[in-house]
Amino acid sequence: MKSSPNTRPAHRTGSLAPLHRIVGLRPAPVPGPREPVPDAGAADELQAEVTVLTELLEEASRQLEASTRAARQARKENEALAEQLRDAVAAGDAEIGDHLLTLGQLEQARSEADTLRTLLLRQGRSEEIATAAGEPSVLPTSFAELWERLDAFAYVRVTADRRIALALDEHAEARTWAAKAWHGLAALDAYAAHSKQGFAGGFYQFCKHAPAGARGYPVSQVAMTETAATMAAHGRERLFPDLAGERREMQPHLKLAARGNLCPRLHFLDDLAGNGASGLVIVGYVGPHLTNRKTS
């Protein structure tokens, strides 16, 4: 069947162009899903967690600071302990040296005693040997006993404060200190006696090169001067009375102990020679270690 000239051919639906292209319009965007709005309860929980975490961080910071301070303090204490250990080792070495020196002096004294004993026996003086062997030890057992026997020394005079010296008897090491003080006084007395017989050196030289048969003192425990810094800061503590009661400087001292809190000292004045000298050794102080640059 023929179509009429006035009749337009029919178009398929699928071949029609989209309407928005025909009219020049864009399609409206398709709305997406709406984001959920957090409720007030969730916000509060989040804030609470933040607060807790902040407090934990602050506490951790405080603990870190405390640990740092503790580590710094421990380091200082370790350094102090290491220094004390070094001092103790040095003091121990010095004490061992003193014991070896004392042992050498003891062996020398024994050798001399054996020689004298042999000579006495050859002269038929065995009774004198027996008497000497039966005599008790002359070492004092306390400073109180030492003070009672000070007249045993011909050339030593003690002007030291008796109360300070006797206070040392309250300590466990008093017997050892008193024995060393007696030994020191005897060495000073021997030094004075030999000086009057021609010995030309001072007390330090006497102890370092003691004449045969002379009683000395361990030279490592003899100090003839204090440091300039100690005298500048604490020199007035080294002024002690002489025989006339005048206060005079007495730097030389004997060490009665190498370590410990007290470290007793015996300070003396060599007054053997010079204008107006007494011809004696004056001991002006026996007591605890005086203040110095280390203890100030």
Side-chain angles (χ1 to χ4, degrees):
M1 181 177 178
K2 295 182 179 179
S3 62
S4 172
N6 295 329
T7 303
R8 295 179 179 178
H11 296 280
R12 294 180 181 178
T13 304
S15 62
L16 292 176
L19 182 59
H20 68 276
R21 291 182 180 178
I22 298 174
V23 299
L25 299 176
R26 293 182 179 180
V30 179
R34 299 178 64 184
E35 296 180 1
V37 177
D39 57 18
D44 292 343
E45 291 179 1
L46 181 60
Q47 182 62 41
E49 291 181 1
V50 171
T51 301
V52 170
L53 290 175
T54 302
E55 292 177 352
L56 290 175
L57 287 174
E58 292 176 351
E59 178 63 24
S61 177
R62 287 192 294 269
Q63 292 181 0
L64 179 60
E65 292 178 358
S67 298
T68 301
R69 289 194 299 269
R72 189 179 300 114
Q73 181 64 28
R75 185 167 58 253
K76 290 181 179 179
E77 292 177 355
N78 287 337
E79 291 174 354
L81 289 174
E83 184 177 359
Q84 292 178 10
L85 178 59
R86 287 192 296 269
D87 292 343
V89 170
D93 291 342
E95 190 169 353
I96 290 173
D98 292 341
H99 289 327
L100 291 174
L101 178 60
T102 301
L103 181 60
Q105 293 173 339
L106 178 60
E107 290 299 325
Q108 180 181 353
R110 284 177 175 172
S111 176
E112 293 173 355
D114 290 341
T115 300
L116 292 174
R117 186 181 298 107
T118 301
L119 292 174
L120 290 173
L121 287 174
R122 288 176 180 176
Q123 297 175 9
R125 301 165 64 180
S126 57
E127 294 182 0
E128 295 182 20
I129 297 176
T131 301
E135 291 181 355
S137 173
V138 296
L139 291 177
T141 59
S142 67
F143 283 93
E145 182 182 350
L146 183 151
W147 232 256
E148 294 175 355
R149 297 167 52 185
L150 291 178
D151 56 357
F153 306 109
Y155 304 107
V156 174
R157 295 293 181 273
V158 178
T159 63
D161 191 328
R162 179 176 179 271
R163 295 168 299 177
I164 295 176
L166 265 58
L168 295 174
D169 283 337
E170 299 175 2
H171 300 271
E173 301 91 340
R175 182 168 185 167
T176 300
W177 297 341
K180 291 194 70 174
W182 180 267
H183 184 185
L185 293 172
L188 289 170
D189 194 53
Y191 159 68
H194 280 78
S195 294
K196 294 179 182 299
Q197 296 170 6
F199 182 80
F203 183 67
Y204 185 89
Q205 288 73 26
F206 178 80
C207 293
K208 190 172 184 179
H209 305 289
R215 178 180 295 185
Y217 197 77
V219 71
S220 63
Q221 301 299 304
V222 177
M224 299 305 294
T225 60
E226 299 279 14
T227 64
T230 293
M231 292 304 297
H234 310 288
R236 292 184 61 85
E237 290 190 24
R238 274 75 179 170
L239 299 177
F240 302 110
D242 62 9
L243 298 180
E246 298 291 333
R247 299 184 69 81
R248 299 174 65 179
E249 186 175 275
M250 300 187 189
Q251 293 189 46
H253 57 274
L254 307 182
K255 302 173 184 179
L256 305 184
R259 62 184 184 276
N261 295 327
L262 293 181
C263 291
R265 299 292 188 260
L266 184 153
H267 283 255
F268 65 91
L269 173 68
D270 186 340
D271 199 36
L272 295 176
N275 295 331
S278 64
L280 301 169
V281 176
I282 302 171
V283 175
Y285 178 81
V286 179
H289 196 301
L290 299 172
T291 310
N292 61 15
R293 295 292 290 178
K294 292 184 179 180
T295 58
S296 59

